[in-house]
Amino acid sequence: MTDDVMPDQLIKGHLNELLKKAVRLGMRMEDAIYCATYTSCQRMQRYDRGWIAPGKQADLIFLSDLVNFDITRVMKSGNWVFT
């Protein structure tokens, strides 16, 4: 979810770049991911997203490594959209 980046700029990355920067600056990876997922969804009142649990929206990314946050697979609404 984003409201501060134009769509044509998203190709360069957005939250993944912010996650990498936060970790580079010393934030624990787990805390950075929490802030980018659960916390932002709660703030936007998207209570069906941001965490993995029964009855929640299944929007997931799978990473090949947790340093560069390289995305290898994406699931949207429980369906694979990028593998």
Side-chain angles (χ1 to χ4, degrees):
M1 292 182 202
T2 182
D3 64 355
D4 64 339
V5 176
M6 298 303 291
D8 62 331
Q9 294 296 310
L10 287 174
I11 195 72
K12 297 175 185 175
H14 179 53
L15 287 178
N16 55 327
E17 293 302 319
L18 293 175
L19 285 168
K20 286 190 261 188
K21 184 176 183 178
V23 171
R24 256 194 333 266
L25 293 173
M27 183 179 252
R28 289 182 341 131
M29 173 193 24
E30 296 88 344
D31 294 335
I33 292 171
Y34 177 82
C35 288
T37 56
Y38 179 79
T39 302
S40 60
C41 290
Q42 294 298 302
R43 176 70 177 100
M44 290 186 260
Q45 299 179 2
R46 302 299 302 261
Y47 302 120
D48 63 335
R49 291 172 171 78
W51 49 311
I52 300 170
K56 303 300 178 190
Q57 185 74 27
D59 295 344
L60 307 169
I61 61 168
F62 294 78
L63 307 171
S64 61
D65 73 79
L66 297 174
V67 174
N68 295 308
F69 293 94
D70 293 325
I71 299 170
T72 59
R73 298 170 70 180
V74 178
M75 180 179 276
K76 173 76 177 147
S77 301
N79 298 304
W80 294 110
V81 295
F82 174 75
T83 56

